[in-house]
Structures are given as structure tokens and as C-alpha cells.
Amino acid sequence: MKKSILLSAFSLFVSLTFLSCKNNEEKLKDAQKDMIQAQKKLIKAESESMRQYENYRMKVSKRITDNELAIADLKIKAIDGTMSQKEKYNAQVEKLEIKNMELKQTLDAYGSYNADTWDSFKKDVDARAAALEKDFEAINRK
């Protein structure tokens, strides 16, 4: 009787060991599948992030180019008035040129493509571009 109980216990132990090995193998395979899926999602997200950045970069680059053309027009545009008025106008045009160049440098300097820095970068560039637009409006009203 003791032998049959021991034999049953041993059989149960071997069976459980075999089943738990199989479960571990299955768990390992499942974990590997999950890891591959996570890697695919990461690659897709990085690709989407790069696409968003490139689209945004093209949009802002166009604005910068448009600003450069407007600055060139302002430089050509002659204003009537005293010498001090002309100097003030030229100084304002020069400030526009500097701000536009800084906007371009900010856009070119962005090098990390993660969600944390993307939002703050985009807000910074949008704020700079909006401020530059206001400056253009102010100088064109004169």
C-alpha cells in the first residue's frame, strides 16, 4: 500500500512537473509573441511620430520661407519720413529677420522624437511663429 501511494505520488509529481514545464514553454512562447507585438507597436508609433514631425517641419519651413520673402519685400519697400523713422523701420525689419532665423534654428535643432518633448517643442515653435506673425502685422500696419 505504501508503495502504491508513493508510486501515485511520484507519478503525480512527474506529471505536474511535465505539465508545468509545458506551461512554462507556452508562457515563454506567449511572452515572446507579446514582445514581438510590442516591438511592432513601438516601430509603428515611432514611424507615426516621425511622419508627424516631418509634416509639421514642412509646414513650419514653408512659413519660414514665406517670412523670408516678406522680409525681403519689407527691405525693398521704401518708407517716406524722416531719417529716424527709416532707421526705426529698418531696425524692426532686422528684428523680424532675427526672429525668423531663430525660429528656423529651433526647428532644425529638434532631435528627439518622443511624445514628452514633442508637445513642448510644438508649443514653443507655434508660439514663436504666432509672435512673428503679430510682428509682421504690426509693421505692415504702419
Side-chain angles (χ1 to χ4, degrees), residues 49 110 112-121:
S49 176
Y110 184 68
S112 72
Y113 309 104
N114 64 52
D116 296 334
T117 59
W118 170 251
D119 289 335
S120 62
F121 164 76

Side-chain angles (χ1 to χ4, degrees), residues 16-29:
L16 288 175
T17 303
F18 178 72
L19 287 175
S20 65
C21 286
K22 187 175 180 182
N23 285 340
N24 284 339
E25 288 175 14
E26 288 175 4
K27 288 178 184 177
L28 179 61
K29 286 180 183 178

Side-chain angles (χ1 to χ4, degrees), residues 10-11 52 82 102 108 112 130 139:
F10 181 71
S11 305
Q52 283 180 345
T82 65
E102 288 172 349
D108 290 342
S112 72
I139 200 167

Side-chain angles (χ1 to χ4, degrees), residues 43-74:
I43 290 169
K44 185 178 179 181
E46 286 175 343
S47 174
E48 178 65 20
S49 176
M50 285 294 292
R51 187 182 62 74
Q52 283 180 345
Y53 170 70
E54 288 303 322
N55 287 341
Y56 183 75
R57 182 179 174 81
M58 287 185 342
K59 184 179 106 179
V60 175
S61 291
K62 184 187 178 321
R63 286 173 84 177
I64 291 169
T65 302
D66 292 345
N67 291 345
E68 289 170 348
L69 293 172
I71 289 168
D73 287 343
L74 290 173

